[in-house]
Amino acid sequence: MKLIDQIKRTGLYHKFRQTGLAKNFYLKRGVILDEERIEKRLSKAPAILLKTPLTKRIKVGVVKDGNINIEGYTHHTSSWIFYERFLKNNQIDYQFYDIYRHDWLEVATGLDIIMWHTHSSPADMYIAESKIYILEKILKKTCFPSFHEVWQYEDKNRAAYLYKALNLPLIKTFVSNSKKDALSVVERSRFPIIYKTYIGSGSKGVTKVNSLSQAKKIINKIFSHKGLKTVYPYFRQKDTVLFQAFIPNAEYDLRIMMIGNKAFGYYRYPKKNDFKASGAGIYEKKEIPKEALKVAINIKEKLNSRLMGVDLLFCNRSKQYKIIETSLFNQIDTPEQLVIDGVPGYYDLNTENYEFREGRFWIHELVMEHIIESYCKEAE
């Protein structure tokens, strides 16, 4: 299939038609990577090598993520290129695993580990949850993400249930599957409040609700026969509603990412006259408060996730860091996800005071390292 045909099948095509520009437009912008650009992206951080050679033969199945997946090209957000580099550099047997084919179960019998950067749309999440459950629970394969990890990924309802059950510092959140209950709560609420669709990333489906009448309109549509439209044309929010307290005067939020003994992070700022820092693209990389790191580490441990991105907001009223949301996958554009005084590195979580250590890392490769090492330990 030609590259232009691949572009037509993705969300990029409307831009393609509007601009009248050819594939070079996307290559120059870095949206699509050819082989040369893939190699250039990978080379921005040194390769990660296992500290101890493997003691047993294993085979890894790598699912190619990204909208453009034909020979010689990929989407700039793809994770598989990092998984592949790690496996090649550590001489670990692997194959690309097309989990969308009819024979995905038969192919899985020859694999020990499956690596899959799952997408977060409702359709993608249904496929991922259905197949990872079988791979992990029935076939006993090691999967990243695990069923537990993917079950809570990009589902704000499920995440809220977990936060409350585990007594984590959640911004005051109300989730209901009852229209009568929902109307009763908003009638007692102090506006503005925040409405969120339960599936969505990058601030998609997040709305500031300024009045009771606006809240009632949302509830009435959600509990109607058709449900409420979402950013996904084929998916409507039906019989479930989530509102969250609005935290005023929040100048920024903190994103903290953790894998193994390493923590990274940066500050995110909203655009002018907006309240959402997520998706705004305004970042600052500098020292992260130790108290915020402690909160994030506790959240990761209680949620039992190997890779975890935690978005925190400091509440001036309670003087506490509160969870905005957690995520299994965050968009990683550079190998410098923590920079202090111009020096890239990470916080060493094995040290008492989370000492800063210098280094550039592709987080995808750190994940691959962690999965392989954990698999080998369990197999001993």
Side-chain angles (χ1 to χ4, degrees):
M1 185 180 291
K2 295 179 181 180
L3 181 62
I4 180 60
D5 295 324
Q6 286 276 325
I7 292 173
K8 285 180 180 180
R9 295 176 62 189
T10 73
L12 299 173
Y13 187 56
H14 73 282
K15 295 180 182 178
F16 187 90
R17 287 192 300 178
Q18 288 170 356
T19 59
L21 298 174
K23 82 179 179 188
N24 287 337
F25 171 75
Y26 295 100
L27 288 169
K28 286 177 181 178
R29 289 190 64 190
V31 175
I32 297 170
L33 305 179
D34 57 16
E35 290 181 344
E36 181 181 347
R37 287 173 172 84
I38 289 172
E39 196 58 41
K40 185 177 180 181
R41 181 164 167 77
L42 292 171
S43 67
K44 290 180 180 179
I48 295 173
L49 300 177
L50 290 169
K51 302 173 186 68
T52 306
L54 295 181
T55 56
K56 64 172 293 185
R57 179 181 171 84
I58 60 174
K59 187 160 188 178
V60 179
V62 177
V63 179
K64 282 191 173 184
D65 60 306
N67 291 323
I68 303 294
N69 283 316
I70 60 174
E71 194 66 32
Y73 297 93
T74 193
H75 194 269
H76 74 106
T77 61
S78 296
S79 294
W80 68 263
I81 60 175
F82 303 97
Y83 299 156
E84 182 185 35
R85 182 173 86 149
F86 178 90
L87 294 165
K88 280 184 174 179
N89 287 332
N90 287 279
Q91 299 180 335
I92 298 172
D93 191 17
Y94 75 97
Q95 71 179 61
F96 291 118
Y97 176 36
D98 190 345
I99 204 164
Y100 300 97
R101 283 176 52 94
H102 72 282
D103 58 352
W104 63 279
L105 268 174
E106 291 83 348
V107 176
T109 59
L111 303 172
D112 300 297
I113 298 172
I114 289 111
M115 300 293 297
W116 182 9
H117 183 144
T118 56
H119 293 300
S120 59
S121 72
D124 287 306
M125 294 307 299
Y126 174 78
I127 295 169
E129 289 174 19
S130 302
K131 295 189 174 183
I132 289 173
Y133 181 89
I134 297 296
L135 290 168
E136 180 183 85
K137 305 297 183 183
I138 308 301
L139 300 186
K140 306 302 180 185
K141 304 297 179 180
T142 293
C143 298
F144 180 79
S146 66
F147 181 74
H148 171 74
E149 288 166 333
V150 81
W151 181 86
Q152 60 182 290
Y153 173 50
E154 294 298 1
D155 190 310
K156 295 178 177 62
N157 285 5
R158 293 174 181 175
Y161 303 152
L162 282 171
Y163 302 156
K164 288 185 178 182
L166 296 169
N167 197 30
L168 295 173
L170 172 66
I171 294 173
K172 187 177 179 181
T173 299
F174 159 74
V175 182
S176 184
N177 304 115
S178 162
K179 180 179 179 180
K180 181 179 179 181
D181 178 52
L183 290 170
S184 174
V185 171
V186 295
E187 285 171 357
R188 303 192 307 270
S189 295
R190 184 175 180 180
F191 291 87
I193 57 177
I194 304 300
Y195 162 73
K196 296 182 178 181
T197 56
Y198 72 89
I199 292 181
S201 59
S203 291
K204 294 175 184 175
V206 178
T207 305
K208 187 178 178 183
V209 180
N210 293 307
S211 66
L212 176 59
S213 61
Q214 188 182 355
K216 285 183 174 180
K217 186 175 180 181
I218 290 170
I219 293 168
N220 286 331
K221 285 187 176 180
I222 285 174
F223 289 94
S224 68
H225 177 66
K226 289 184 177 180
L228 179 64
K229 287 182 179 180
T230 69
V231 294
Y232 303 101
Y234 59 88
F235 181 77
R236 287 175 176 263
Q237 180 119 342
K238 180 90 171 69
D239 294 347
T240 183
V241 64
L242 183 152
F243 289 114
Q244 196 168 70
F246 174 68
I247 306 297
N249 305 316
E251 297 178 4
Y252 64 86
D253 68 41
L254 281 171
R255 168 161 288 175
I256 299 174
M257 292 169 284
M258 297 154 287
I259 176 67
N261 71 315
K262 295 178 175 64
F264 307 84
Y266 49 84
Y267 294 71
R268 304 188 304 177
Y269 298 90
K271 292 179 180 178
K272 188 176 180 180
N273 298 323
D274 196 357
F275 67 96
K276 297 171 294 197
S278 176
I282 306 172
Y283 308 101
E284 184 179 13
K285 295 177 181 178
K286 60 182 181 180
E287 189 173 0
I288 302 294
K290 295 296 190 292
E291 184 57 36
L293 285 170
K294 287 180 182 178
V295 172
I297 293 165
N298 180 54
I299 293 167
K300 177 181 177 293
E301 289 176 350
K302 286 190 174 180
L303 291 179
N304 191 28
S305 183
R306 290 165 290 185
L307 172 66
M308 177 63 72
V310 180
D311 295 342
L312 297 174
L313 194 69
F314 186 75
C315 179
N316 290 310
R317 182 178 296 175
S318 66
K319 304 299 179 185
Q320 291 180 319
Y321 287 99
K322 300 283 189 177
I323 303 173
I324 302 172
E325 64 181 14
T326 57
S327 183
L328 181 63
F329 296 114
N330 299 120
Q331 185 171 326
I332 307 295
D333 296 316
T334 78
E336 300 178 355
Q337 293 298 304
L338 173 69
V339 178
I340 298 178
D341 297 329
V343 180
Y346 67 97
Y347 287 111
D348 186 344
L349 303 183
N350 286 337
T351 58
E352 186 176 350
N353 294 312
Y354 312 136
E355 292 179 16
F356 175 78
R357 304 198 189 283
E358 186 176 349
R360 285 184 176 84
F361 304 91
W362 285 114
I363 289 179
H364 323 69
E365 291 193 69
L366 292 175
V367 171
M368 191 79 251
E369 176 190 43
H370 183 73
I371 300 301
I372 296 292
E373 288 182 343
S374 298
Y375 179 86
C376 292
K377 280 182 182 179
E378 291 173 4
E380 289 177 356

